[in-house]
Coordinates of all heavy atoms in Angstrom, one line a residue:
K14 N 67.1 109.1 64.5 CA 67.4 107.7 64.3 C 66.6 107.0 65.4 O 66.6 107.4 66.5 CB 69.0 107.3 64.4 CG 69.3 106.0 64.0 CD 70.8 105.8 64.1 CE 71.1 104.3 63.6 NZ 72.4 104.1 63.4
E15 N 66.0 105.8 65.0 CA 65.4 105.1 65.8 C 65.3 103.6 65.6 O 65.7 103.3 64.4 CB 63.8 105.6 66.1 CG 63.0 105.6 64.8 CD 61.7 106.2 65.0 OE1 61.5 107.4 65.0 OE2 60.7 105.3 65.1
G16 N 64.9 102.8 66.4 CA 64.8 101.4 66.1 C 64.2 100.5 67.3 O 63.9 101.2 68.3
V17 N 64.2 99.2 67.2 CA 63.7 98.3 68.1 C 64.9 97.3 68.4 O 65.5 96.9 67.4 CB 62.5 97.6 67.7 CG1 62.1 96.6 68.6 CG2 61.4 98.5 67.4
T18 N 65.2 97.0 69.6 CA 66.1 96.1 70.0 C 65.5 95.0 70.9 O 64.8 95.2 71.7 CB 67.3 96.7 70.9 OG1 68.0 97.8 70.0 CG2 68.3 95.7 71.4
E19 N 65.9 93.8 70.5 CA 65.4 92.6 71.3 C 66.7 91.8 71.7 O 67.7 91.7 71.0 CB 64.7 91.6 70.3 CG 63.2 91.4 70.8 CD 62.6 90.5 69.8 OE1 62.4 90.8 68.6 OE2 62.0 89.4 70.3
G20 N 66.7 91.5 73.0 CA 67.8 90.8 73.4 C 67.7 90.5 74.9 O 66.7 90.5 75.5
I21 N 68.9 90.1 75.6 CA 69.0 89.7 76.9 C 69.4 90.8 77.8 O 70.5 91.5 77.4 CB 69.9 88.4 77.0 CG1 69.4 87.3 76.1 CG2 70.0 88.0 78.4 CD1 68.1 86.6 76.6
V22 N 68.9 91.0 78.9 CA 69.3 91.9 79.9 C 70.7 91.4 80.3 O 70.8 90.3 81.0 CB 68.4 92.1 81.1 CG1 69.0 93.1 82.1 CG2 67.0 92.8 80.5
A23 N 71.8 92.2 80.1 CA 73.1 91.8 80.6 C 73.4 92.4 82.0 O 74.0 91.8 82.9 CB 74.1 92.2 79.6
D24 N 73.0 93.7 82.2 CA 73.3 94.4 83.5 C 72.2 95.5 83.5 O 71.7 95.9 82.5 CB 74.7 94.8 83.4 CG 75.2 95.2 84.8 OD1 74.5 95.0 85.8 OD2 76.3 95.7 84.9
K25 N 72.1 96.2 84.6 CA 71.3 97.4 84.7 C 71.7 98.2 86.0 O 72.2 97.7 87.0 CB 69.8 96.9 84.9 CG 69.3 96.2 86.1 CD 67.9 95.9 86.1 CE 67.6 95.5 87.4 NZ 66.0 95.4 87.8
G26 N 71.2 99.4 86.0 CA 71.3 100.3 87.1 C 70.1 101.0 87.4 O 69.1 100.6 86.8
E27 N 70.1 102.0 88.1 CA 68.7 102.7 88.4 C 68.3 103.5 87.2 O 67.0 103.4 87.0 CB 68.9 103.8 89.5 CG 69.0 103.2 90.9 CD 69.0 104.3 91.9 OE1 68.4 105.3 91.7 OE2 69.7 104.1 93.0
D28 N 69.2 103.9 86.3 CA 68.7 104.8 85.2 C 69.3 104.2 83.9 O 69.5 105.0 82.9 CB 68.9 106.2 85.4 CG 70.3 106.6 85.5 OD1 71.1 105.7 85.6 OD2 70.6 107.8 85.4
W29 N 69.7 103.0 83.8 CA 70.3 102.5 82.5 C 70.1 100.9 82.5 O 69.8 100.4 83.5 CB 71.7 102.9 82.3 CG 72.7 102.3 83.5 CD1 73.0 103.1 84.7 CD2 73.3 101.1 83.6 NE1 73.7 102.3 85.5 CE2 73.9 101.0 85.0 CE3 73.4 99.9 82.9 CZ2 74.6 100.1 85.4 CZ3 74.0 98.8 83.4 CH2 74.7 98.9 84.7
I30 N 70.1 100.3 81.2 CA 70.1 98.9 81.1 C 71.0 98.5 79.9 O 71.0 99.2 78.9 CB 68.6 98.5 80.9 CG1 68.4 97.0 80.9 CG2 68.1 99.1 79.6 CD1 67.0 96.5 81.0
D31 N 71.7 97.5 80.2 CA 72.6 96.9 79.2 C 71.8 95.6 78.5 O 71.4 94.8 79.2 CB 73.8 96.5 79.6 CG 74.9 97.6 79.9 OD1 74.6 98.7 79.7 OD2 75.8 97.3 80.7
I32 N 71.7 95.8 77.1 CA 71.0 94.6 76.5 C 71.9 94.0 75.4 O 72.5 94.8 74.7 CB 69.8 95.2 75.9 CG1 68.8 95.7 76.9 CG2 69.1 94.1 75.1 CD1 67.6 96.2 76.4
E33 N 72.2 92.8 75.5 CA 72.9 92.0 74.4 C 71.9 91.6 73.4 O 71.0 90.8 73.6 CB 73.6 90.8 75.1 CG 74.6 90.2 74.1 CD 75.4 89.0 74.6 OE1 75.4 88.9 75.9 OE2 75.8 88.2 73.9
G34 N 72.2 92.1 72.2 CA 71.3 91.8 71.1 C 71.5 90.4 70.6 O 72.4 89.7 70.9
V35 N 70.5 89.8 69.7 CA 70.6 88.5 69.2 C 71.9 88.3 68.4 O 72.3 87.2 68.2 CB 69.4 88.2 68.4 CG1 68.1 88.1 69.4 CG2 69.1 89.2 67.4
D36 N 72.5 89.4 67.9 CA 73.8 89.3 67.2 C 75.0 89.4 68.1 O 76.1 89.4 67.6 CB 73.8 90.4 66.2 CG 73.8 91.9 66.7 OD1 73.7 91.9 67.9 OD2 74.0 92.8 65.9
G37 N 74.8 89.5 69.4 CA 76.0 89.5 70.3 C 76.4 90.9 70.7 O 77.3 91.1 71.5
T38 N 75.8 91.9 70.1 CA 76.2 93.4 70.4 C 75.6 93.8 71.6 O 74.5 93.6 72.0 CB 75.7 94.3 69.2 OG1 76.3 93.9 68.0 CG2 76.1 95.7 69.5
L39 N 76.5 94.3 72.4 CA 76.0 94.9 73.8 C 75.8 96.3 73.8 O 76.8 97.1 73.4 CB 77.0 94.5 74.9 CG 76.7 94.9 76.4 CD1 75.5 94.1 76.8 CD2 77.9 94.6 77.2
N40 N 74.7 96.9 74.1 CA 74.4 98.3 74.2 C 73.8 98.7 75.4 O 73.0 98.0 76.0 CB 73.5 98.7 73.0 CG 74.2 98.6 71.6 OD1 75.1 99.3 71.4 ND2 73.7 97.7 70.8
R41 N 74.2 99.9 75.8 CA 73.5 100.5 77.0 C 72.5 101.6 76.5 O 72.7 102.4 75.7 CB 74.5 101.3 77.9 CG 73.9 101.9 79.2 CD 75.0 102.3 80.2 NE 75.5 101.0 80.7 CZ 76.5 101.1 81.7 NH1 77.0 102.2 82.1 NH2 76.9 99.8 82.0
Y42 N 71.3 101.5 77.3 CA 70.2 102.4 77.0 C 69.8 103.1 78.2 O 69.9 102.7 79.4 CB 69.0 101.6 76.5 CG 69.3 100.7 75.2 CD1 69.8 99.6 75.2 CD2 69.1 101.4 73.9 CE1 70.0 98.9 74.1 CE2 69.4 100.8 72.8 CZ 70.0 99.5 72.8 OH 70.2 98.8 71.7
R43 N 69.5 104.4 78.0 CA 69.0 105.2 79.1 C 67.6 105.9 78.8 O 67.3 106.2 77.7 CB 70.0 106.5 79.4 CG 71.2 106.0 80.0 CD 72.2 107.2 80.1 NE 73.5 106.8 80.7 CZ 73.8 106.6 82.0 NH1 72.7 106.9 82.9 NH2 74.8 106.2 82.5
P44 N 66.7 106.1 79.8 CA 65.5 106.7 79.4 C 65.6 108.1 79.0 O 66.5 108.8 79.3 CB 64.8 106.6 80.8 CG 65.5 105.6 81.6 CD 66.9 105.6 81.2
Q45 N 64.5 108.5 78.2 CA 64.5 109.9 77.7 C 64.3 110.8 78.8 O 63.7 110.6 79.9 CB 63.3 110.1 76.9 CG 63.0 111.4 76.3 CD 61.8 111.6 75.5 OE1 61.3 110.4 75.1 NE2 61.4 112.7 75.2
W46 N 64.9 112.0 78.8 CA 64.8 113.1 79.8 C 63.6 113.8 79.6 O 63.3 114.2 78.4 CB 66.0 114.0 79.9 CG 66.1 115.0 80.9 CD1 65.5 116.2 81.0 CD2 66.7 114.8 82.2 NE1 65.7 116.7 82.2 CE2 66.5 116.0 82.9 CE3 67.4 113.7 82.6 CZ2 67.1 116.0 84.3 CZ3 67.9 113.7 84.1 CH2 67.7 114.9 84.7
E47 N 62.8 114.0 80.6 CA 61.5 114.8 80.4 C 61.4 116.0 81.5 O 62.0 115.8 82.6 CB 60.4 113.8 80.7 CG 60.2 112.7 79.6 CD 59.0 111.9 79.8 OE1 58.4 111.8 80.9 OE2 58.5 111.4 78.8
G48 N 60.8 117.1 81.1 CA 60.5 118.0 82.0 C 61.5 119.1 82.0 O 61.6 119.9 83.0
G49 N 62.3 119.3 81.0 CA 63.3 120.4 80.9 C 64.4 120.3 82.1 O 64.7 119.2 82.5
Q50 N 64.9 121.4 82.4 CA 66.0 121.5 83.2 C 65.6 120.9 84.6 O 66.6 120.3 85.3 CB 66.5 122.9 83.4 CG 67.9 123.1 84.2 CD 68.3 124.6 84.1 OE1 67.6 125.5 83.7 NE2 69.4 124.7 84.6
D51 N 64.5 121.1 85.1 CA 64.2 120.5 86.4 C 63.5 119.2 86.3 O 63.0 118.7 87.4 CB 63.1 121.5 87.0 CG 63.7 122.9 87.3 OD1 64.8 123.0 87.7 OD2 63.0 123.9 87.2
G52 N 63.5 118.5 85.2 CA 62.9 117.2 85.0 C 63.8 116.1 85.6 O 64.7 116.3 86.3
G53 N 63.6 114.9 84.8 CA 64.2 113.8 85.2 C 64.0 112.6 84.1 O 63.2 112.9 83.2
P54 N 64.6 111.5 84.3 CA 64.4 110.4 83.3 C 62.8 109.9 83.3 O 62.2 110.0 84.3 CB 65.2 109.3 84.0 CG 66.2 109.9 84.8 CD 65.6 111.1 85.4
D55 N 62.4 109.4 82.2 CA 61.1 109.0 82.0 C 60.6 108.0 83.2 O 61.4 107.0 83.2 CB 60.8 108.4 80.6 CG 59.5 107.9 80.4 OD1 58.6 108.6 79.9 OD2 59.3 106.6 80.6
K56 N 59.6 108.3 83.9 CA 59.3 107.5 85.1 C 58.9 106.1 84.5 O 59.2 105.0 85.2 CB 58.2 108.1 85.9 CG 58.8 109.3 86.5 CD 57.7 110.1 87.4 CE 58.4 111.1 88.2 NZ 57.5 112.2 88.6
E57 N 58.1 105.9 83.5 CA 57.6 104.6 82.9 C 58.9 103.7 82.6 O 58.9 102.5 82.9 CB 56.9 104.6 81.7 CG 55.3 105.2 82.2 CD 54.4 105.2 81.0 OE1 54.6 104.5 80.1 OE2 53.4 106.1 81.1
A58 N 59.8 104.3 81.9 CA 61.1 103.6 81.6 C 61.8 103.1 82.8 O 62.3 102.1 82.9 CB 61.9 104.6 80.6
L59 N 61.9 104.1 83.8 CA 62.6 103.7 85.1 C 61.8 102.5 85.7 O 62.6 101.7 86.2 CB 62.7 104.8 86.0 CG 63.6 106.0 85.6 CD1 63.4 107.1 86.6 CD2 65.0 105.5 85.4
E60 N 60.6 102.4 85.7 CA 59.9 101.3 86.3 C 60.2 100.0 85.6 O 60.3 98.9 86.1 CB 58.3 101.7 86.3 CG 58.0 102.7 87.2 CD 56.5 103.2 87.3 OE1 55.8 102.5 86.4 OE2 56.1 104.2 87.8
A61 N 60.2 100.2 84.2 CA 60.5 99.0 83.4 C 61.9 98.4 83.6 O 62.0 97.3 83.8 CB 60.3 99.3 81.8
I62 N 62.8 99.4 83.8 CA 64.1 99.0 84.2 C 64.3 98.3 85.4 O 64.9 97.3 85.7 CB 65.2 100.2 84.0 CG1 65.4 100.6 82.7 CG2 66.6 99.8 84.6 CD1 66.1 101.9 82.5
A63 N 63.6 98.8 86.4 CA 63.5 98.2 87.7 C 62.9 96.8 87.8 O 63.4 96.0 88.5 CB 62.8 99.1 88.7
K64 N 61.9 96.5 86.9 CA 61.4 95.2 86.9 C 62.2 94.2 86.0 O 62.0 93.0 86.3 CB 60.0 95.3 86.2 CG 58.9 96.1 87.1 CD 57.5 96.2 86.5 CE 56.7 97.0 87.2 NZ 55.4 97.2 86.6
A65 N 63.0 94.6 85.2 CA 63.8 93.8 84.4 C 64.8 93.0 85.1 O 65.4 93.6 86.1 CB 64.6 94.5 83.3
E66 N 65.0 91.7 84.8 CA 66.0 91.0 85.5 C 67.2 90.5 84.5 O 66.8 90.2 83.5 CB 65.3 89.7 86.1 CG 64.2 90.0 87.1 CD 64.8 90.6 88.5 OE1 66.0 90.3 88.8 OE2 64.1 91.3 89.1
P67 N 68.4 90.5 85.1 CA 69.5 89.9 84.2 C 69.1 88.5 83.7 O 68.6 87.7 84.4 CB 70.7 89.8 85.1 CG 70.3 91.0 86.2 CD 68.9 91.0 86.3
G68 N 69.4 88.3 82.5 CA 69.0 87.1 81.9 C 67.6 87.1 81.1 O 67.3 86.1 80.4
Q69 N 66.9 88.0 81.4 CA 65.5 88.1 80.8 C 65.5 88.7 79.4 O 66.3 89.5 79.0 CB 64.7 89.1 81.7 CG 63.2 89.2 81.2 CD 62.5 90.3 82.1 OE1 62.9 90.8 83.0 NE2 61.2 90.5 81.8
M70 N 64.7 88.1 78.5 CA 64.6 88.5 77.0 C 63.7 89.8 77.1 O 62.6 89.6 77.8 CB 64.1 87.5 76.3 CG 63.6 87.8 74.9 SD 65.1 88.3 73.8 CE 65.6 86.6 73.3
V71 N 64.1 90.8 76.5 CA 63.3 92.0 76.5 C 63.3 92.7 75.0 O 64.1 92.3 74.1 CB 63.9 93.3 77.4 CG1 63.7 92.8 78.9 CG2 65.3 93.4 77.1
K72 N 62.3 93.5 74.7 CA 62.3 94.3 73.5 C 62.0 95.7 73.8 O 61.0 96.2 74.6 CB 61.1 93.6 72.6 CG 60.8 94.3 71.3 CD 59.8 93.6 70.7 CE 59.6 94.0 69.2 NZ 58.4 93.4 68.5
I73 N 62.9 96.7 73.3 CA 62.7 98.0 73.6 C 62.6 98.8 72.2 O 63.2 98.4 71.2 CB 63.8 98.5 74.5 CG1 65.2 98.4 73.8 CG2 63.8 97.8 75.9 CD1 66.2 99.3 74.5
T74 N 62.1 99.9 72.3 CA 61.9 100.8 71.2 C 62.9 102.0 71.7 O 62.8 102.5 72.8 CB 60.6 101.4 70.9 OG1 59.8 100.3 70.6 CG2 60.7 102.4 69.7
W75 N 63.8 102.4 70.8 CA 64.8 103.5 71.2 C 64.9 104.6 70.1 O 64.5 104.4 69.0 CB 66.2 102.9 71.4 CG 66.8 102.1 70.3 CD1 66.6 100.9 70.1 CD2 67.5 102.7 69.2 NE1 67.2 100.4 68.9 CE2 67.7 101.6 68.3 CE3 67.8 104.0 68.9 CZ2 68.5 101.8 67.2 CZ3 68.5 104.2 67.7 CH2 68.8 103.0 66.8
Y76 N 65.4 105.7 70.4 CA 65.8 106.6 69.5 C 66.7 107.6 69.9 O 67.0 107.7 71.3 CB 64.5 107.5 68.9 CG 64.0 108.5 70.0 CD1 64.3 109.7 70.1 CD2 63.1 107.9 71.0 CE1 63.8 110.7 71.0 CE2 62.5 108.8 72.0 CZ 62.9 110.2 71.9 OH 62.3 111.0 72.9
T77 N 67.5 108.3 69.1 CA 68.4 109.2 69.5 C 68.0 110.6 69.2 O 67.3 110.8 68.3 CB 69.9 108.9 68.8 OG1 69.7 109.0 67.4 CG2 70.4 107.6 69.2
M78 N 68.5 111.6 69.8 CA 68.2 113.0 69.5 C 69.5 113.6 69.2 O 70.6 113.5 70.0 CB 67.5 113.7 70.8 CG 66.2 113.1 71.0 SD 65.4 113.8 72.5 CE 65.3 115.5 72.1
S79 N 69.5 114.6 68.4 CA 70.6 115.5 68.0 C 70.6 116.7 68.9 O 69.5 117.1 69.4 CB 70.7 115.8 66.5 OG 69.7 116.7 66.2
A80 N 71.7 117.6 69.0 CA 71.6 118.7 69.8 C 70.6 119.8 69.1 O 70.3 120.7 69.8 CB 73.0 119.3 69.7
C81 N 70.2 119.6 67.9 CA 69.4 120.6 67.2 C 67.9 120.2 67.4 O 67.0 121.0 67.0 CB 69.7 120.5 65.7 SG 71.3 121.1 65.3
D82 N 67.6 119.1 68.0 CA 66.1 118.7 68.1 C 65.4 119.4 69.3 O 66.0 119.8 70.2 CB 66.1 117.2 68.4 CG 66.3 116.4 67.2 OD1 66.3 116.8 66.1 OD2 66.5 115.1 67.4

């Protein structure tokens, strides 16, 4: 499953961001894990989260993975 969300940054941490969509729904997003067991969250996504400010309008592309992927 994948999609695009547009909304306002409600809150954020080092590796997550809460976005309130235009419909008022609040969702938390985390960067994709890269590099297997010794890897970490996607560095470009972490940089984007760091630059985002609460109250800022943002647009993100997201997707979910199943355990079988």
Side-chain angles (χ1 to χ4, degrees):
K14 187 173 178 177
E15 63 184 76
V17 175
T18 296
E19 241 180 299
I21 302 292
V22 176
D24 199 6
K25 68 176 190 168
E27 283 186 32
D28 66 349
W29 56 268
I30 190 165
D31 289 343
I32 298 175
E33 184 175 346
V35 293
D36 63 355
T38 302
L39 184 65
N40 287 298
R41 179 164 289 180
Y42 299 92
R43 292 182 177 272
Q45 176 181 350
W46 190 269
E47 295 187 333
Q50 190 173 8
D51 296 325
D55 178 87
K56 290 180 179 160
E57 286 183 29
L59 291 175
E60 290 173 10
I62 291 170
K64 291 178 184 176
E66 296 294 333
Q69 179 182 3
M70 176 67 84
V71 295
K72 182 176 182 179
I73 66 163
T74 301
W75 57 266
Y76 70 95
T77 58
M78 294 176 58
S79 72
C81 297
D82 287 343

